[in-house]
């Protein structure tokens, strides 16, 4: 594994733990998880729809949709940052 793959793995694990901790501190954890998943996938969809105008494109595949659903908006921001760094 290269260094950035290890970095992404560590960041993803940390985000996942934070989301789990803060979600289960809430009174309705499953509705909050569902809301975060919808918010993350919605943000990914908005970026995909605006790709024609902005020039920033995140490929839609199983990994990007799953990470956006699990980690919500921070995952979408991470995908954007990585896309801007790589290009």
């Amino acid at each position: 594994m290269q260094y950035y793959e290890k970095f992404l793995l560590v960041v993803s694990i940390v985000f996942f733990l934070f989301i789990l901790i803060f979600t289960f501190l809430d009174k309705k954890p499953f509705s909050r998880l569902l809301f975060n998943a919808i918010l993350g996938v919605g943000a990914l969809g908005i970026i995909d729809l605006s790709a024609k105008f902005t020039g920033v494109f995140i490929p839609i595949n199983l990994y990007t949709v799953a990470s956006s659903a699990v980690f919500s908006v921070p995952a979408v921001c991470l995908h954007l940052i990585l896309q801007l760094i790589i290009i």
Side-chain angles (χ1 to χ4, degrees):
M1 288 174 102
Q2 295 178 355
Y3 291 114
Y4 68 91
E5 289 175 350
K6 290 179 183 178
F7 174 73
L8 287 178
L9 182 64
V10 170
V11 169
S12 298
I13 290 171
V14 169
F15 277 146
F16 183 70
L17 290 176
F18 278 132
I19 289 171
L20 281 181
I21 289 169
F22 288 120
T23 299
F24 286 110
L25 290 177
D26 196 14
K27 293 182 181 179
K28 298 178 181 177
F30 296 109
S31 63
R32 184 157 174 113
L33 281 174
L34 182 64
F35 176 72
N36 283 335
I38 292 170
L39 189 66
V41 173
L44 186 64
I46 289 172
I47 290 173
D48 186 47
L49 290 175
S50 67
K52 294 177 186 176
F53 307 108
T54 61
V56 178
F57 177 72
I58 299 174
I60 304 294
N61 57 31
L62 178 65
Y63 301 113
T64 57
V65 172
S67 66
S68 297
V70 173
F71 300 120
S72 191
V73 176
V76 176
C77 292
L78 185 63
H79 286 298
L80 276 175
I81 290 169
L82 287 175
Q83 188 68 21
L84 293 174
I85 289 172
I86 291 172
I87 292 177

